[in-house]
Amino acid sequence: PNQVYRAILELLIRQPTPKEMMEFAPSPEVQGRVSLLLEKNRQGVLSHAENDELDEYQRINHLVTMMKARAIPYLSA
């Protein structure tokens, strides 16, 4: 999760356009890790540490969703 937070901070420091904000996505490596954690969760084999990690990714997802929602009104037609 720390690398995703760093990516979000780097994005914000660059003062992105609304379009750039909407295009933000985690790296393929992070997406793969989240997919693995979700699959382990479905199978019921998630460790306590992995569960905490998945919870953190869910918080990050909520943050990014809120950032994108706030950018929508500023998108030009």
Side-chain angles (χ1 to χ4, degrees):
N2 287 336
Q3 94 182 62
V4 181
Y5 281 120
R6 278 192 297 274
I8 292 169
L9 287 173
E10 288 173 14
L11 173 73
L12 295 175
I13 288 168
R14 290 193 314 265
Q15 298 180 342
T17 65
K19 182 178 184 284
E20 290 170 327
M21 185 71 74
M22 296 301 289
E23 292 171 349
F24 177 80
S27 69
E29 294 82 14
V30 170
Q31 291 177 25
R33 177 66 180 162
V34 171
S35 293
L36 174 67
L37 292 172
L38 288 170
E39 181 58 32
K40 289 179 83 171
N41 187 48
R42 279 189 283 278
Q43 295 173 2
V45 295
L46 211 56
S47 71
H48 180 71
E50 289 170 328
N51 188 61
D52 289 346
E53 183 181 359
L54 185 56
D55 286 346
E56 193 63 30
Y57 282 123
Q58 289 172 331
R59 282 188 285 277
I60 291 168
N61 184 58
H62 180 73
L63 172 66
V64 171
T65 299
M66 296 300 292
M67 288 171 28
K68 289 181 177 191
R70 299 285 274 195
I72 290 172
Y74 299 98
L75 291 172
S76 58

